[in-house]
Amino acid sequence: MEAKRRIVLVPVPAQGHVTPMMQLGKALYSEGFSITVVEGHFNQVSSSSQHFPGFQFVTIKESLPESEFERLGGIEFMIKLNKTSEASFKDCISQLLQQQGNDIACIIYDEFMYFCGAAAKEFKLPSVIFNSTSATNQVSHPEMQDKVVENLYPLRYKDLPISEMGPLDRVFELCREVGNKRTASGVIINTVSCLESSSLSWLQQEVRIPVSPLGPLHMTASPPSSLLEEDRSCIEWLNKQKPRSVIYISVGTLGQMETKEVLEMAWGLCNSNQPFLWVIRAGSILGINGIDSLPDEFNKMVSERGYIVKRAPQIEVLGHPAVGGFWSHCGWNSTLESIGEGVPMICRPFHGEQKLNAMYIERVWRIGFQVEGKVDRGEVEKAVKRLIVDDEGAGMRERALVLKEKLKASVKNGGASYDALNELVKYLKTK
Ligand code: UDP
């Protein structure tokens, strides 16, 4: 009997989740699988389908409008989305099976799209869960809290990623659902054993189905494609800067700052005397629409040494010789991308798993440090100098470069992530 060829991917419609899953899709496509991406009506990957030639995109019936995200908040939205999507996803899979002559080898779904489990069970299809965060984040889910202190040194209770997300009973409900692996036959995780081997072993013990750490996915397949347009003019600006002199600042695709913080940040950056490249999205600053609404003072401070873009080609920026450090909110993708280019970090996590990542950056890998408390111009200036100018920063950079080499080795022939991907491919080819 010929092996089934089609893999159905179900991403969460947010950049930080979509990017690594689509990278996995590209890696599997190059192994000879056909790829179908199932999505809802908002933040559609298919709007940038030109980056994924050969992929099929299917939209399922809208179960919740995007506006509900604002009204309900992230936790309630995800719980409701899962309740309301189950039926339309079953219809979708049933149609795909008819059209494709039963040719579905596996459904790979983001851990937050757990409604997919029901369809996999009903149609007796193999399924694999996809995690886009660290293994440490996975093992610090609340149902495992009592084990945290023992196994997650140096994490403190206050670092755990559950504190500010919403009423605890609702957070727990979502975590319970996400933690329930249903009938899935494995878990894919975008990490690599050399970064967090003890958390990975622990995760393996807890979930009792095979865990495949095959990251960083942005280093395994062709370069990632953004859903949004990137401003490449910053590369020309970087070309004019001295080696390792620039601090790159980005708080990810969702992070927000208050106007006052943005101004303090600008003062601090200016006073540090280092050139800076700063991503400020239209929605980055609370209550106002982009930098045009900031006082003139801001433009004056920035114009001398700074360059601002709405969106940067981040991996290329981090890989540019002029970049000496990354001021980051420590999302997992940004963390992996920074390490992948050997760039040390100033950590300014907002919440959740970003705090875990920041803790690892500071205490475990020792490739950066956290700036806590209110954003204050003096602290910003000190932090930038500490990272870019001081010997301490040079040590962090050295360690980041060592890790970079380890990551590169792990995705090459014979490396741990390379082998994990091969194992997964072998498994999918038997389905
Ligand atoms: N990103 C980018 N350009 C920007 C800002 C962000 O390409 O100007 C990308 C970044 O490379 C990363 C993703 O957006 O892959 C952000 O993911 P992350 O997990 O770091 O944070 P999130 O946005 O999910 O909080």
Side-chain angles (χ1 to χ4, degrees):
M1 195 181 81
E2 212 167 294
K4 294 183 178 164
R5 309 304 285 172
R6 186 161 299 274
I7 306 287
V8 174
L9 297 180
V10 189
V12 164
Q15 180 86 61
H17 290 255
V18 167
T19 311
M21 188 178 261
M22 295 307 285
Q23 286 300 103
L24 175 67
K26 282 188 192 171
L28 295 176
Y29 185 77
S30 68
E31 292 287 340
F33 291 98
S34 313
I35 305 292
T36 298
V37 181
V38 175
E39 52 187 358
H41 281 261
F42 60 93
N43 274 347
Q44 290 193 319
V45 192
S46 49
S47 62
S48 54
S49 60
Q50 74 278 10
H51 297 302
F52 308 101
F55 284 30
Q56 178 191 26
F57 291 89
V58 178
T59 304
I60 55 173
K61 217 171 59 210
E62 179 167 68
S63 59
L64 268 188
E66 190 177 3
S67 56
E68 286 291 273
F69 186 85
E70 291 289 314
R71 197 179 70 82
L72 295 169
I75 300 283
E76 274 319 309
F77 182 83
M78 282 318 296
I79 293 175
K80 208 163 164 197
L81 182 78
N82 273 283
K83 285 202 176 113
T84 51
S85 300
E86 205 172 289
S88 44
F89 185 65
K90 278 186 187 169
D91 288 348
C92 164
I93 291 294
S94 154
Q95 273 181 20
L96 279 174
L97 285 169
Q98 279 172 24
Q99 289 161 9
Q100 318 280 358
N102 272 341
D103 188 31
I104 297 179
C106 187
I107 300 174
I108 301 181
Y109 62 95
D110 189 290
E111 59 174 339
F112 287 102
M113 306 301 257
Y114 51 84
F115 63 83
C116 297
K121 190 168 174 205
E122 179 162 324
F123 296 102
K124 299 198 173 54
L125 291 171
S127 64
V128 172
I129 294 170
F130 181 85
N131 285 326
S132 61
T133 62
S134 69
T136 308
N137 182 49
Q138 296 297 317
V139 287
S140 61
H141 279 173
E143 71 274 14
M144 298 179 182
Q145 253 182 39
D146 46 341
K147 297 180 189 166
V148 162
V149 177
E150 186 192 338
N151 286 304
L152 280 186
Y153 175 82
L155 301 181
R156 299 160 297 183
Y157 212 78
K158 72 173 192 181
D159 302 313
L160 295 183
I162 53 161
S163 32
E164 318 89 349
M165 289 179 177
L168 271 189
D169 58 329
R170 304 304 285 160
V171 178
F172 281 4
E173 169 160 353
L174 185 62
C175 288
R176 247 194 323 275
E177 294 286 6
V178 169
N180 174 356
K181 298 299 178 229
R182 296 179 170 76
T183 53
S185 45
V187 172
I188 295 169
I189 181 159
N190 187 22
T191 189
V192 47
S193 52
C194 65
L195 288 183
E196 34 169 15
S197 66
S198 62
S199 298
L200 264 171
S201 321
W202 188 20
L203 179 66
Q204 180 61 76
Q205 263 175 41
E206 293 291 338
V207 300
R208 299 203 180 91
I209 46 177
V211 175
S212 311
L214 39 75
L217 279 158
H218 77 275
M219 294 170 83
T220 57
S222 51
S225 329
S226 174
L227 303 190
L228 301 163
E229 206 182 314
E230 291 160 349
D231 185 345
R232 296 189 46 79
S233 65
C234 59
I235 301 292
E236 278 154 46
W237 179 83
L238 282 174
N239 289 341
K240 294 185 207 130
Q241 310 303 322
K242 291 199 188 108
R244 290 180 174 173
S245 64
V246 174
I247 178 92
Y248 166 62
I249 305 127
S250 163
V251 295
T253 54
L254 305 165
Q256 291 183 312
M257 292 171 82
E258 286 174 17
T259 306
K260 191 167 173 302
E261 289 178 323
V262 174
L263 291 176
E264 284 296 313
M265 183 91 191
W267 271 110
L269 289 167
C270 217
N271 294 343
S272 77
N273 283 331
Q274 294 302 127
F276 58 92
L277 170 59
W278 193 352
V279 176
I280 304 186
R281 310 180 322 270
S284 281
I285 310 174
L286 275 166
I288 63 168
N289 193 15
I291 52 169
D292 296 341
S293 320
L294 286 172
D296 285 346
E297 172 197 1
F298 177 83
N299 286 326
K300 271 196 221 125
M301 282 187 288
V302 166
S303 57
E304 206 178 317
R305 259 180 294 279
Y307 198 80
I308 295 193
V309 288
K310 291 203 175 80
R311 191 172 168 86
Q314 182 161 300
I315 296 174
E316 199 179 337
V317 165
L318 290 169
H320 195 286
V323 170
F326 183 9
W327 175 294
S328 172
H329 74 308
C330 305
W332 186 237
N333 293 295
S334 294
T335 303
L336 289 176
E337 288 160 7
S338 202
I339 300 175
E341 301 300 337
V343 176
M345 299 167 86
I346 297 174
C347 307
R348 185 82 194 162
F350 291 100
H351 55 71
E353 43 116 9
Q354 297 159 9
K355 290 188 178 172
L356 298 185
N357 303 336
M359 177 63 92
Y360 264 62
I361 290 165
E362 182 177 86
R363 302 271 199 96
V364 179
W365 307 316
R366 296 171 47 236
I367 55 165
F369 54 88
Q370 281 195 68
V371 174
E372 287 177 281
K374 274 206 175 117
V375 180
D376 159 276
R377 63 188 74 177
E379 291 300 320
V380 174
E381 179 187 343
K382 240 177 24 203
V384 173
K385 285 184 173 156
R386 186 175 163 198
L387 192 73
I388 307 270
V389 185
D390 293 356
D391 287 349
E392 196 191 355
M396 293 172 187
R397 185 169 311 118
E398 261 169 44
R399 287 185 287 276
L401 286 166
V402 171
L403 277 184
K404 167 187 171 172
E405 292 309 317
K406 287 190 178 169
L407 296 201
K408 272 166 68 183
S410 75
V411 296
K412 275 206 196 112
N413 197 340
S417 297
Y418 182 92
D419 288 347
L421 181 59
N422 265 350
E423 282 298 310
L424 176 76
V425 167
K426 251 196 253 162
Y427 164 79
L428 293 173
K429 286 192 171 162
T430 62
K431 292 293 127 192

